[in-house]
């Protein structure tokens, strides 16, 4: 399950990068901010996964 979570987190991060890029290209500040928020959320989740992995070892 941890691997699936990591894949989902990375997917969310990449989606956020795309949203941010499209927002910048189209001058849509809301979409750009949403993309940045998605990336931040994903990175936070990834950090949680890394902490769980550290305790498993």
């Amino acid at each position: 399950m941890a691997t699936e979570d990591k894949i989902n987190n990375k997917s969310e991060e990449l989606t956020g990068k795309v949203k941010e890029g499209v927002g910048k290209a189209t001058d849509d500040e809301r979409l750009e901010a949403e993309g940045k928020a998605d990336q931040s959320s994903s990175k936070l989740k990834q950090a949680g996964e890394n902490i769980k992995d550290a305790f498993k070892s």
Side-chain angles (χ1 to χ4, degrees), residues 2-47:
T3 303
E4 183 179 326
D5 290 340
K6 288 179 184 181
I7 292 170
N8 289 338
N9 293 339
K10 198 60 164 174
S11 174
E12 182 179 355
E13 181 182 355
L14 293 174
T15 301
K17 286 182 181 186
V18 169
K19 283 183 182 180
E20 181 183 3
V22 170
K24 283 182 181 179
T26 60
D27 226 13
D28 185 342
E29 292 178 2
R30 193 182 113 232
L31 186 59
E32 185 177 346
E34 188 177 316
K36 287 180 182 180
D38 287 351
Q39 291 177 65
S40 295
S41 171
S42 171
K43 288 179 183 178
L44 184 61
K45 290 176 187 177
Q46 288 176 15

